[in-house]
Amino acid sequence: MKISVLNSSPKNNLSLTLQTVLFLKKWFQDILKEDVFEIVPAFSGKVTEEIEKSIKDSDLIIMTGAIFHFDIRSNMGELLDELSDKYYDSIKDKAVSFISTSGLIGDTLAHNRLEIWARRNKLKYINSLSLESAEVLSPAGREELFCWFKFARTLS
């Protein structure tokens, strides 16, 4: 299973969300061996060649980033619109989710927006995750996430 992570954080490799994804990537790849996480910068809100290739070859697309990118800058919103309008053939029938780390009330709005977008485009939406607590990275939390990835794997 190939996982495409579209990272929309302006902090890139310094973002808490991406650091969490890198941790999960190592943990899951140690267990699953063949799974590939491809992390692609997506802060510009535009579909680049790298993004297009990554999503075309993936089984699961995970959007990551700060919640305010939906509400204030709307980088992720622009990216979602462009994916639906111009790259629908690349995203159709894909499993998709969103990971954030803010833990604020805005999480619900952003996660709902992604769910609506995914359902409107007839994608296989998997409940989005908010990694606001350290419990997610605990052994029990990782096991729960592992079940989430196994579910995504069965969809592909």
Side-chain angles (χ1 to χ4, degrees):
M1 179 169 112
K2 182 176 175 204
I3 301 168
S4 178
V5 179
L6 303 183
N7 178 39
S8 73
S9 174
K11 295 179 182 177
N12 261 332
N13 293 339
L14 300 177
S15 79
L16 176 61
T17 309
L18 188 58
Q19 291 304 311
T20 303
V21 169
L22 290 171
F23 174 81
L24 294 172
K25 171 185 176 178
K26 180 173 180 0
W27 190 74
F28 286 118
Q29 285 181 327
D30 286 348
I31 292 172
L32 301 174
K33 306 297 182 222
E34 79 280 355
D35 288 59
V36 176
F37 279 66
E38 182 172 25
I39 300 170
V40 180
F43 181 68
S44 71
K46 303 291 179 206
V47 177
T48 63
E49 254 183 61
E50 188 178 13
I51 290 172
E52 182 180 10
K53 182 180 180 329
S54 179
I55 62 172
K56 192 175 194 174
D57 299 336
S58 68
D59 301 302
L60 170 64
I61 301 168
I62 300 175
M63 312 283 192
T64 65
I67 292 302
F68 71 85
H69 293 173
F70 271 113
D71 301 330
I72 298 171
R73 297 189 174 201
S74 198
N75 297 37
M76 189 67 79
E78 289 177 20
L79 182 66
L80 295 177
D81 290 343
E82 189 172 341
L83 284 170
S84 340
D85 295 344
K86 299 178 183 172
Y87 298 92
Y88 180 74
D89 287 342
S90 296
I91 62 170
K92 70 179 179 184
D93 300 323
K94 303 281 182 178
V96 64
S97 191
F98 179 68
I99 296 179
S100 70
T101 49
S102 71
L104 302 173
I105 191 133
D107 272 11
T108 303
L109 297 173
H111 291 280
N112 286 347
R113 182 173 178 186
L114 183 77
E115 180 177 2
I116 290 166
W117 174 81
R119 294 194 191 288
R120 185 182 70 219
N121 287 288
K122 296 178 177 65
L123 304 176
K124 299 168 188 164
Y125 175 74
I126 300 171
N127 285 342
S128 297
L129 300 172
S130 183
L131 306 177
E132 74 276 2
S133 81
E135 290 179 22
V136 172
L137 300 178
S138 71
R142 285 192 309 244
E143 199 57 43
E144 186 175 329
L145 285 174
F146 182 67
C147 291
W148 181 78
F149 278 103
K150 284 194 326 190
F151 173 70
R153 183 185 226 171
T154 63
L155 292 175
S156 59

